[in-house]
């Protein structure tokens, strides 16, 4: 099995398949991460808000102590939560994740969302617990992210859930351009324009929820009776036609488009199955049929930041009207 790498704009390269740890229970995640490393994963996608970095760290330590891998063979990503956007809070937040993960440095640190909260709030319940929308604040956050690279705390920096306009704003003002934009991406939300822009600018697009996140907390924008993406008849049929699983079909398609994919699983057989997608090349006709499935179906829409009275709206987050 060859684990492909995607070159970044800073000379580093990121393994094109990573293990997602969002929604992985604390009870399961250490075993899942350790198993993932034993079956060949080298890229683990984490975040402070997933509330399981300590357990991920335990698995990393075990793998390192048992010499299954060396630290420099691993690619560990974490993300800055929305309550640490003010410049003075960025480094302490990065240091907290580094400590929880039991590491000396992160390979990649991302601004998780363009939405900002007060420092004492993990998830706002009242309007005054948000900081008002402010593009300039995001730029200040970025400048603090750049300092982390200079200090050697992180090797690369990037963003998540950023639109093309916000990336442009960073590209125009940054000293260190973002290496990665991590966004929801699967055949029903293909992010064509964003991907085209990212490729032009040398930014890697990492696809989160590449399998359609059937275990996501809010089953947003799925109509009554509408199947999950992995169960769409067209997906199961194309997978059967190719002799692979539906998950492998989605991941091989993501890899064929030059995106990085971070499927989440806590089950050994699925971890192996998902990683094996690296060796699958899809017939152009299969890719063409998948390309026709885009319907803008955003599963992780950010509605949880836009509850009544919030200064944020979906139109602001995505910078376009949300239907
Ligand atoms: P589990 O963790 O029980 O294996 P996403 O990566 O898009 O967020 O999707 C994660 C969801 O997809 C989880 O419910 C996960 O379940 C499930 N999943 C992961 N890999 C596979 C697979 N190969 N086949 C079917 N479902 C999978």
């Amino acid at each position: 099995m060859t684990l492909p790498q995607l070159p970044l704009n800073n000379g580093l390269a990121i393994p094109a398949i990573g293990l997602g740890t969002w929604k992985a229970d604390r009870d399961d995640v250490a075993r899942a991460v350790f198993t993932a490393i034993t079956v060949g994963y080298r890229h683990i996608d984490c975040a402070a808000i997933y509330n399981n970095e300590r357990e991920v760290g335990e698995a990393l330590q075990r793998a390192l102590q048992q010499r299954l891998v060396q630290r420099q063979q691993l690619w560990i990503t974490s993300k800055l939560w929305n309550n640490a956007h003010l410049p003075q809070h960025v480094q302490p937040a990065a240091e907290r994740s580094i400590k929880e993960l039991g590491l000396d440095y992160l390979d990649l640190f991302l601004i998780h969302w363009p939405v900002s909260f007060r420092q004492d709030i993990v998830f706002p319940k009242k309007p005054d617990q948000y900081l008002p929308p402010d593009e300039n604040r995001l730029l200040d956050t970025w400048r603090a992210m750049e300092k982390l690279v200079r200090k050697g705390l992180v090797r690369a920096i990037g963003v998540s859930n950023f639109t093309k306009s916000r990336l442009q704003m960073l590209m125009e003002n940054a000293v260190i351009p973002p290496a990665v934009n991590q966004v929801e991406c699967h055949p029903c939300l293909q992010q064509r324009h964003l991907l085209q822009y990212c490729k032009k600018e040398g930014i890697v697009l990492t696809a989160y929820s590449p399998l359609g996140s059937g275990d996501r907390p809010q089953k947003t924008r799925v109509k009554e009776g509408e199947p999950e993406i992995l169960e769409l008849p067209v997906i199961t049929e194309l997978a059967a036609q190719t002799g692979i699983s539906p998950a492998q079909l989605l991941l091989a398609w993501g890899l064929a488009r030059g995106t990085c994919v971070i499927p989440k699983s806590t089950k050994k057989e699925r971890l192996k199955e998902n990683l094996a997608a690296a060796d699958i090349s899809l017939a152009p006709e299969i890719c063409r049929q998948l390309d026709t499935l885009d319907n803008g179906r955003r599963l992780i829409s950010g509605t949880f930041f836009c509850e009544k009275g919030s200064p944020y709206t979906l139109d602001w987050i995505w910078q376009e009207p949300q239907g």
Side-chain angles (χ1 to χ4, degrees):
M1 208 270 316
T2 46
L3 190 56
Q5 310 254 331
L6 293 166
L8 299 177
N9 57 14
N10 60 0
L12 300 176
I14 185 170
I17 300 185
L19 174 68
T21 61
W22 178 43
K23 311 174 261 80
D25 287 345
R26 277 193 192 161
D27 295 342
D28 298 331
V29 77
R31 194 180 29 78
V33 170
F34 186 79
T35 307
I37 292 172
T38 61
V39 302
Y41 284 75
R42 293 294 177 262
H43 167 184
I44 315 288
D45 184 79
C46 315
I49 195 61
Y50 301 163
N51 210 15
N52 57 13
E53 287 193 320
R54 187 170 301 177
E55 290 73 15
V56 173
E58 284 167 16
L60 298 179
Q61 291 324 302
R62 196 145 74 86
L64 290 167
Q65 275 159 14
Q66 293 186 15
R67 298 180 194 273
L68 294 180
V69 277
Q70 294 172 342
R71 171 64 185 96
Q72 62 272 23
Q73 296 172 310
L74 290 171
W75 183 278
I76 311 295
T77 299
S78 183
K79 310 189 191 81
L80 180 76
W81 187 234
N82 305 349
N83 61 1
H85 281 185
L86 296 181
Q88 66 271 29
H89 298 150
V90 172
Q91 184 174 329
E95 286 171 336
R96 261 195 308 279
S97 282
I98 292 171
K99 186 160 175 249
E100 293 276 291
L101 291 162
L103 303 174
D104 301 324
Y105 66 90
L106 296 170
D107 296 277
L108 177 64
F109 197 47
L110 308 176
I111 300 180
H112 205 150
W113 285 88
V115 172
S116 312
F117 308 157
R118 268 176 21 200
Q119 193 207 8
D120 54 330
I121 301 299
V122 176
F123 236 103
K125 295 191 177 61
K126 297 187 203 141
D128 70 350
Q129 296 176 330
Y130 291 88
L131 302 183
D134 183 349
E135 307 293 343
N136 288 327
R137 184 189 312 112
L138 292 174
L139 184 55
D140 290 342
T141 308
W142 186 256
R143 296 198 200 289
M145 298 280 285
E146 291 176 332
K147 284 194 186 146
L148 302 178
V149 179
R150 283 187 216 110
K151 289 189 172 176
L153 288 169
V154 308
R155 297 172 81 211
I157 49 176
V159 291
S160 181
N161 298 298
F162 267 46
T163 56
K164 179 179 159 186
S165 308
R166 289 199 177 101
L167 285 177
Q168 272 169 331
M169 182 273 287
L170 290 185
M171 294 302 289
E172 279 159 22
N173 293 285
V175 177
I176 302 177
V180 167
N181 186 23
Q182 184 180 124
V183 293
E184 179 182 337
C185 193
H186 43 69
C188 297
L189 183 72
Q190 302 193 6
Q191 306 275 19
R192 274 203 202 100
H193 295 301
L194 188 60
L195 179 58
Q196 199 180 22
Y197 174 76
C198 285
K199 283 187 174 168
K200 180 165 77 74
E201 295 295 342
I203 300 169
V204 164
L205 190 151
T206 294
Y208 75 68
S209 301
L211 305 177
S213 273
D215 55 348
R216 68 194 176 282
Q218 289 182 330
K219 300 256 173 176
T220 39
R221 299 197 57 192
V222 179
K223 294 186 210 92
E224 193 68 32
E226 190 177 357
E228 294 293 340
I229 294 174
L230 270 178
E231 292 154 9
L232 287 171
V234 55
I235 298 293
T236 54
E237 278 157 28
L238 289 176
Q241 206 176 311
T242 314
I244 56 177
S245 75
Q248 289 177 324
L249 179 79
L250 298 185
L251 298 173
W253 173 82
L255 294 173
R257 301 173 83 219
T259 66
C260 176
V261 291
I262 48 167
K264 171 260 175 187
S265 182
T266 51
K267 303 190 170 69
K268 185 171 185 179
E269 285 317 306
R270 287 180 173 177
L271 288 169
K272 289 205 279 197
E273 176 186 321
N274 295 347
L275 195 63
D279 281 337
I280 297 169
S281 59
L282 299 175
E285 179 47 29
I286 300 282
C287 286
R288 260 196 300 280
Q289 291 194 53
L290 289 168
D291 288 346
T292 64
L293 300 181
D294 200 353
N295 60 5
R297 178 168 154 187
R298 199 185 279 283
L299 303 167
I300 316 301
S301 65
T303 42
F304 31 82
F305 302 136
C306 307
E307 309 265 289
K308 199 159 176 278
S310 164
Y312 291 89
T313 62
L314 293 185
D315 292 1
W316 185 87
I317 294 175
W318 304 117
Q319 299 189 299
E320 58 182 38
Q322 297 295 298

